[in-house]
Amino acid sequence: MLVVVAGLGLTAACVVPVPPPPPPTAGAPTLTVTPHLSGLARPWDLAFAPDATLLFTERPGAIKADVGGAVRVLGRPADVQAIGEGGMMGLAVDPQFTANRRIYTCFLSNADGALDVRVVRWRVDAGYTTLTDRADIVTGIAVNTAGQAGRHSGCRTRFGPDGYLWVTTGDAATSWVPQSPTSLGGKVLRVTTDGAGAPGNPGGALRPEIYSYGHRNPQGVAFRPGDGMPFAVEHGTGCDDEVNLLVAGGNYGWDPVPVGGGTSYDESRPMTDLTRYPTARPAVWSSGCPTIAPSGAGFLEGAQWKDWDGDLAVAVLKGTQLRVFGLDGAGAVVAQASGVTDQGRLRVAVQGPGGDLYIAQDADPGAILRVQPG
């Protein structure tokens, strides 16, 4: 377990800056960082096929594969709109990929004439040369219509141990979206491979695709090995990035509607507004001030990770680091540390089939970095 960090309980008042995380302890692994792929255009997400082929997206619009060290363009959909924070973003590989060759991407699109964020299913050919059989399985995810298209797009896609596809969605910087039971924005969705709401979703007033709501801009979702506990990683305002333990039907308390009403987007509101929503779910970790902009996350597994075995590794953008969170049995963050602090903005961290960690460096030119514990 990592050393415990003081000051995790700061509220949205943000009076005292959160201290930086401690350096790795004696029980943490020594990290060797090398470029796995270089010269990329803002790599956003990555995933591994069962045969260990690395698939990845670039925000300007491409879906690519690393086949034996040769990078191939699988597709560059004509409707991708790389605007603001939007573009080609999330990527997930079907658990039954060996049989069905399916992958899923989440991106900002103009396929229907107006902008939306959508999830699209594809089939990859056996030689990793092209994508076919496009199916747009979730459409109409909120997009900002006030001149900030692409802002707060969310769009991390991951299959859970339940076999369903989980999708994080941003609130489109639009005040009414995160608390709306009928908008797919500001939510965590849980859907079948055809895009239908998955069994076990809360339902009721909520659209069937919605698992949880009241989110601002979650860009990470990960499942703890063993118990499958789901966690989302969320961007805060000027204060309070969050790690949230997800529960079905949970309201995570973000509501940027101004106190006096109106349609403006009030970023002075607390990330978890317990005054408006006394039963909102508090974060298991909050950054306080200033924010560090945590993004894609994954759990570390294996004895090679030493004290970090079983911990949550989060790629950090503004804070330019890999931050590692130790969790207790109930899912509360009890400790943290940092590593990979000299590689700029980091977008996502995914453990590869050999046990090493692969991190997308958010730059143009950017890279996919390989992190080996030793």
Side-chain angles (χ1 to χ4, degrees):
M1 185 54 67
L2 307 175
V3 242
V4 174
V5 177
L8 297 185
L10 294 181
T11 68
C14 297
V15 176
V16 181
V18 172
T25 63
T30 300
L31 304 180
T32 301
V33 182
T34 55
H36 179 71
L37 296 174
S38 301
L40 308 179
R42 297 207 175 277
W44 208 94
D45 207 358
L46 59 96
F48 288 89
D51 63 3
T53 296
L54 172 63
L55 308 173
F56 63 96
T57 59
E58 293 175 319
R59 194 165 60 80
I63 306 163
K64 296 184 176 182
D66 170 22
V67 183
V71 175
R72 300 176 183 174
V73 178
L74 299 178
R76 200 183 297 272
D79 58 307
V80 175
Q81 299 296 296
I83 303 172
E85 300 167 10
M88 178 59 70
M89 296 176 283
L91 172 68
V93 172
D94 195 294
Q96 304 302 316
F97 179 85
T98 300
N100 62 31
R101 306 291 298 184
R102 288 175 171 178
I103 66 171
Y104 305 76
T105 59
C106 181
F107 58 92
L108 180 63
S109 167
N110 68 352
D112 293 332
L115 292 173
D116 73 348
V117 172
R118 59 183 53 205
V119 179
V120 174
R121 188 182 71 212
W122 311 87
R123 186 183 300 273
V124 184
D125 73 308
Y128 292 101
T129 62
T130 191
L131 300 176
T132 58
D133 297 354
R134 173 173 174 164
D136 294 40
I137 64 170
V138 181
T139 61
I141 300 171
V143 170
N144 185 278
T145 58
Q148 300 181 67
R151 189 176 179 207
H152 295 184
S153 295
C155 242
R156 192 70 62 190
T157 52
R158 291 290 182 268
F159 275 93
D162 56 7
Y164 295 113
L165 183 63
W166 298 57
V167 183
T168 70
T169 68
D171 69 359
T174 304
S175 62
W176 59 270
V177 163
Q179 292 294 327
S180 169
T182 59
S183 172
L184 295 179
K187 310 296 191 295
V188 174
L189 312 180
R190 178 173 168 267
V191 298
T192 70
T193 55
D194 293 324
N201 285 356
L206 296 172
R207 282 187 54 160
E209 302 95 332
I210 295 172
Y211 186 79
S212 62
Y213 64 105
H215 298 283
R216 182 174 180 268
N217 190 25
Q219 286 192 350
V221 63
F223 305 88
R224 184 159 69 176
D227 58 17
M229 196 174 280
F231 293 86
V233 180
E234 187 161 348
H235 290 287
T237 57
C239 293
D240 296 330
D241 295 321
E242 294 182 343
V243 175
N244 285 301
L245 172 58
L246 298 175
V247 298
N251 180 359
Y252 289 81
W254 172 241
D255 185 357
V257 173
V259 173
T263 60
S264 65
Y265 186 68
D266 185 359
E267 297 208 64
S268 71
R269 304 302 306 160
M271 281 293 290
T272 305
D273 194 335
L274 294 172
T275 300
R276 285 180 173 174
Y277 307 103
T279 61
R281 304 285 303 187
V284 298
W285 173 83
S286 181
S287 68
C289 304
T291 51
I292 60 173
S295 187
F299 280 90
L300 300 172
E301 293 186 79
Q304 72 273 22
W305 290 102
K306 303 176 77 173
D307 278 3
W308 291 2
D309 184 10
D311 289 349
L312 180 66
V314 181
V316 175
L317 294 160
K318 187 168 68 174
T320 62
Q321 65 190 251
L322 180 74
R323 189 167 288 200
V324 180
F325 295 95
L327 308 170
D328 66 14
V333 171
V334 294
Q336 58 181 313
S338 65
V340 194
T341 58
D342 59 352
Q343 297 294 328
R345 291 166 53 89
L346 306 180
R347 177 64 70 178
V348 69
V350 175
Q351 189 167 0
D356 294 341
L357 191 68
Y358 292 79
I359 302 177
Q361 182 189 63
D362 182 48
D364 188 1
I368 292 176
L369 308 172
R370 181 181 181 182
V371 182
Q372 296 172 284

